[in-house]
Every structure is written in C-alpha cells, then in structure tokens.
Amino acid sequence: MKKVITYGTFDMLHQGHLNILKRAKELGDYLIVGVTSDDFDSRRGKINVQQSMMERIEGVKETGLADQIIIEEYEGQKIDDINRFGVDIFAIGSDWQGKFDYLSEFCKVVYLERTKGISSTQIRSQNNHLKLGLVGKAKRLRKVANEAISINGLDIVGTSGAGYDRRLKKLDDYSFEELIEKVDAVFIESDMKNRYEQIKYALERGKHVLCYLPMAIGRSQQHELLEIAKKNDCVLMSGIKTAYSTAYYRLLLMIKSGEIGDVASIETTCTSLDEVSKIKNYQKNDIWSAMDAWGATALMPIFQILGTDYVDSIIVSKKIDSYFDLFTKMDFVYKNAVATAKIGKGVKSEGEMIVSGTKGYAYVPSPWWKTDYFEIRYEDQNKNKRFFYELEGEGFKYELVNFLRAINHGRTLSYTGNDVLEEISNVYEKFYDGKDVRTI
C-alpha cells in the first residue's frame, strides 16, 4: 500500500484545498492529512486563521478524501510522521516549491500545482472586511495601527482624540460621533472617565467594541454594558493584549489543571518610569497614573486563577494628590489563598509574576505582561519545565484577530470572563471612592 501525506491549515476550506487533496489522493492508496494546531499556527506567525482547529478538522473530514487526519503541533514533526507512518510520498502545494526538498531523504517529495486565483487569504479579506476606528490619546494606538496592517480584511478608518499625535498623522481625525458613523467597530483606549459613555454610545448604534480595561468604573456600569452588547448583538471584548497571547493562555490552563497543585499565592508586579519627568508638573489626564496604566493588567491573572469571591481586601497607595498614584499595592485574601498586585508609575520594581502552589510554582519573568516564556519549577530542580511561545510584535494583532474572529462568528469569545471584567471595575470604584484604601 502506497501512503501519501500532506499538511495544511485548511482554514475556510475552499476549492483550492479540495483540488490539492484530490491530487494528493491520486498519488497513492492511503492519504494522511496533517492539520496544523492553533498553537503551531500562532508560533509560525499565522495568526489570522478564522476557524478553530476542530472546525478545520471537520472541514477536511467532510471531504471524504482523508483516510487519516493527524494534528501538526511542532517544527520537525513532518520527519517524525513520515517515519512513524511509513509514508512513501510527501505532497504539498507548488507555492512551497523547494521548501521541503530536505524531506526527499526520507520519501518522495511532490509539489502539486495550486488552483490559481483561489486562496484562504483572499477569502478572509473578502468575507471579513471590517472598518475599525481608534479612540483615545494613548500612545499605544500607534502600535495598534501598525500591527493592524498585517491583518487581512481590517482597515483603520481614522481616529478620535488622537490628532495631536504626529505618529498617527496619516489617519484622519474625527469627533467621536463622526467616527462612529464611519466604522463597524472601535478600539477604545481613552481616558477612563470617558470610556463608559463612549462604549454605550457605540453599542447602542450597533458597533462592536474592543476596549482597554476597565471599561467602566463600578460593577453595575460594566454589567450594563455587557447587557447592551447582548441586546444589540454586538461584540464587546477586553483589550488587554496579555489575555490573547498563547503563552499566557497555556500558563492558565496548566495552573488550573493542577500542574503546581493547589494555588496558595499569586504575586503580580507592573511598573514603569517612562513618565517620571512629567509627574511633578502633570495636568490631570495628560498622563496615566499607576492605576490607570497598570491596575487592570495586574489584577487580571489574580481573578482569572483564584476567582472573584475573595473575603477581604486592602489597598495601600502612595499618591502625589487625590488623583495620581505613584505606587499602589492591592492585597486580596481568599478562603484558601492570598494574592498581591503591585503597580507603579514613577516607582520601579521587577515586573514578574509568581504563582505558588502545593506542588511547585509558576514563574513568568519580566515583563510578564508580554508573556512568551514561563517556567514551572519544583523542589527537585531536575523536574523543572520551560515553555516558550513566540509573541509577534507587541501582541496587539492577537487581540485584533480574535476580535475580528468573534465578530465573524457572531459571538464574543471570552478570554477574560465577564465576572473578571465586573470585578476589575469594582476594584477601580473602591480605589477612586477611597473604600478600603490607605495612603502613605
């Protein structure tokens, strides 16, 4: 029996895919199809895949052409699969001409002519065209605009409130109301005092929203926004890019699966000194305070891992006035665990995250909020494990791709959790109201 193997993402299966599979099938008696995993696609920088791995596998299965379907998860797997399954022929599209010649040492390599004029990239661009507006003064909007360029079917229409930033001068600047009329969705990273009204305005006009946290101050306002999004069939997603990185997601799964035992403590630290020269003479909302800039990021893993049902909390803050905090430490006591989040804007510390458990601990080095590497450490150091998942660019494109995917699927894909969104908003309300807050 002559065995043939081929590989692909097979996103949004189309006639071009079918033609490749049919030609591969004709080369032998038994066809093995390798479908790339979501993680493997992400590590290769192929992040604009619209369907999940299971959806793509089902698509291949429904063709009836594959005698066996396997999952491709790592570099070098093709050689392993060829040897393991006794493959005679490796077949792949002609756009990879010469790329896999090295496999000829293990089996015959055949490059199959691709169907001209058909590609997944073209289909994604045609089907998922989205006009996006950027709202706010945050310097990160420039990075968002730069990373959006590589995403098929996503066009940045303009900005609102960012006209002063010469790095965004190529984009037209509109009033918020004008921008909403021109777009399908908005990315919001404006002053916190404006976000609730801006999100509500956009949702009520049927626009999808991706917004930095907190979206609102107080649990009731956050809950209201979620209900408005649901009522108007809009996607409302959190814009903390850390939540969308492969490494961070895998870390959460490992911790929740018991890899380090029962979690007893979580420590997160997020600080920066980039605005120190402005702090003494700042004007309110010209720059972000420690809580503005880092609070939501530092709180997110605590609530995602331990939940939101803590029994006690205390916030200690070093402020230069009633608004601007240089440094804030937030402690939470749970029934069986404790957690600490330290944030600073004008105070610097090691930006790491440590999750302590009864079997070992997870360590994410600085800057942990750009998670691409973490370690699971044990008493016996010989058992320590290291994990690396490449993070392309600043990570904004990952949240933008998932936002686009959620809109195309007609539902919000929760990477944060509504309970976490509401509790983060609740903590901000307590902070600004001075409840359970001590100043030093």
Side-chain angles (χ1 to χ4, degrees):
M1 181 170 64
K2 186 180 291 186
K3 290 187 176 182
V4 182
I5 194 166
T6 189
Y7 295 84
T9 302
F10 300 103
D11 187 32
M12 305 176 72
L13 195 81
H14 52 70
Q15 189 61 46
H17 292 136
L18 286 172
N19 292 343
I20 287 287
L21 292 174
K22 287 176 182 177
R23 291 165 188 162
K25 180 82 167 180
E26 291 169 355
L27 294 173
D29 308 301
Y30 190 88
L31 178 61
I32 303 170
V33 178
V35 178
T36 54
S37 70
D38 295 332
D39 284 348
F40 189 48
D41 277 327
S42 295
R43 294 198 299 276
R44 294 188 304 157
K46 196 170 185 177
I47 63 171
N48 201 19
V49 177
Q50 298 300 307
Q51 294 179 301
S52 69
M53 183 182 71
M54 292 310 299
E55 288 173 317
R56 292 183 282 116
I57 288 174
E58 283 301 314
V60 172
K61 186 183 297 183
E62 288 174 4
T63 68
L65 295 168
D67 296 292
Q68 183 177 355
I69 299 175
I70 62 175
I71 300 172
E72 185 179 20
E73 300 184 88
Y74 57 90
E75 292 288 347
Q77 183 177 328
K78 291 180 177 67
I79 294 175
D80 293 341
D81 291 341
I82 289 168
N83 291 330
R84 182 159 56 104
F85 295 113
V87 170
D88 301 287
I89 299 174
F90 170 85
I92 200 74
S94 58
D95 52 330
W96 294 99
Q97 189 73 41
K99 173 73 174 179
F100 296 104
D101 288 353
Y102 71 93
L103 293 177
S104 60
E105 181 182 342
F106 306 94
C107 68
K108 182 179 179 180
V109 177
V110 176
Y111 294 99
L112 302 169
E113 189 65 30
R114 289 182 60 91
T115 305
K116 295 180 180 180
I118 300 177
S119 74
S120 298
T121 299
Q122 289 175 328
I123 293 173
R124 281 193 292 265
S125 184
Q126 293 166 2
N127 292 352
N128 306 321
H129 187 80
L130 186 79
K131 292 180 290 185
L132 181 70
L134 305 179
V135 180
K137 295 181 180 179
K139 64 181 181 180
R140 278 179 280 194
L141 292 184
R142 173 180 57 87
K143 298 178 181 179
V144 173
N146 289 340
E147 296 199 18
I149 294 173
S150 63
I151 300 174
N152 295 315
L154 185 63
D155 292 334
I156 305 295
V157 172
T159 65
S160 177
Y164 78 98
D165 193 334
R166 58 182 176 80
R167 293 166 298 188
L168 291 170
K169 64 181 180 181
K170 291 183 179 180
L171 296 172
D172 292 328
D173 192 58
Y174 302 95
S175 70
F176 180 74
E177 292 77 10
E178 288 174 335
L179 184 64
I180 292 299
E181 293 300 315
K182 294 179 178 293
V183 301
D184 304 309
V186 285
F187 180 101
I188 297 177
E189 198 161 346
S190 58
D191 296 330
M192 279 193 295
K193 63 181 178 62
N194 298 326
R195 289 178 197 167
Y196 165 74
E197 292 296 341
Q198 288 173 337
I199 295 172
K200 184 177 179 180
Y201 184 92
L203 292 175
E204 288 178 340
R205 284 153 184 80
K207 311 299 181 179
H208 307 289
V209 178
L210 178 65
C211 183
Y212 192 73
L213 298 183
M215 299 180 188
I217 305 300
R219 182 182 282 115
S220 61
Q221 285 192 344
Q222 177 63 61
H223 182 75
E224 180 189 357
L225 293 177
L226 292 168
E227 290 299 310
I228 295 173
K230 182 178 179 180
K231 177 183 176 182
N232 290 284
D233 293 322
C234 292
V235 170
L236 175 60
M237 288 178 63
S238 62
I240 294 185
K241 63 182 187 292
T242 307
Y244 302 93
S245 75
T246 301
Y248 179 76
Y249 183 68
R250 293 300 295 269
L251 173 64
L252 291 186
L253 290 179
M254 294 185 73
I255 291 172
K256 291 182 178 181
S257 68
E259 184 70 30
I260 62 172
D262 296 329
V263 175
S265 171
I266 300 176
E267 302 168 71
T268 63
T269 302
C270 301
T271 62
S272 58
L273 290 175
D274 56 336
E275 301 284 1
V276 169
S277 62
K278 300 178 184 178
I279 287 175
K280 289 184 179 180
N281 299 310
Y282 88 99
Q283 292 183 353
K284 190 172 182 180
N285 292 332
D286 276 354
I287 56 175
W288 287 9
S289 66
M291 197 67 176
D292 291 350
W294 292 115
T297 300
L299 291 169
M300 181 178 67
I302 292 174
F303 296 147
Q304 285 182 312
I305 295 170
L306 294 177
T308 59
D309 191 22
Y310 51 88
V311 297
D312 195 14
S313 68
I314 183 171
I315 301 173
V316 179
S317 189
K318 182 178 180 63
K319 297 185 175 185
I320 60 175
D321 61 23
S322 61
Y323 168 77
F324 199 104
D325 60 315
L326 288 172
F327 177 81
T328 295
K329 180 173 178 283
M330 296 174 278
D331 291 307
F332 301 89
V333 179
Y334 290 79
K335 184 178 179 181
N336 296 304
V338 294
T340 297
K342 293 187 292 185
I343 55 177
K345 198 70 176 286
V347 172
K348 191 63 181 172
S349 185
E350 186 70 18
E352 61 188 11
M353 177 167 72
I354 300 174
V355 184
S356 305
T358 54
K359 295 180 181 179
Y361 69 97
Y363 172 72
V364 188
S366 178
W368 74 261
W369 52 90
K370 293 184 180 180
T371 311
D372 60 3
Y373 171 82
F374 65 89
E375 297 181 19
I376 302 294
R377 297 176 176 177
Y378 302 95
E379 185 77 14
D380 182 353
Q381 295 184 7
N382 294 320
K383 295 180 179 180
N384 290 357
K385 302 174 185 177
R386 298 177 179 180
F387 301 87
F388 177 79
Y389 302 88
E390 185 176 358
L391 184 68
E392 189 177 348
E394 291 284 332
F396 289 106
K397 63 178 63 177
Y398 294 88
E399 64 181 87
L400 288 171
V401 164
N402 281 285
F403 183 49
L404 183 60
R405 182 182 297 172
I407 292 170
N408 293 330
H409 287 192
R411 67 182 188 277
T412 298
L413 308 175
S414 181
Y415 284 79
T416 310
N418 291 347
D419 58 333
V420 173
L421 297 181
E422 292 184 14
E423 189 54 45
I424 287 175
S425 293
N426 181 47
V427 171
Y428 272 79
E429 184 176 43
K430 290 196 290 186
F431 177 78
Y432 288 116
D433 286 350
K435 184 177 180 182
D436 299 328
V437 179
R438 299 177 185 176
T439 56
I440 55 175

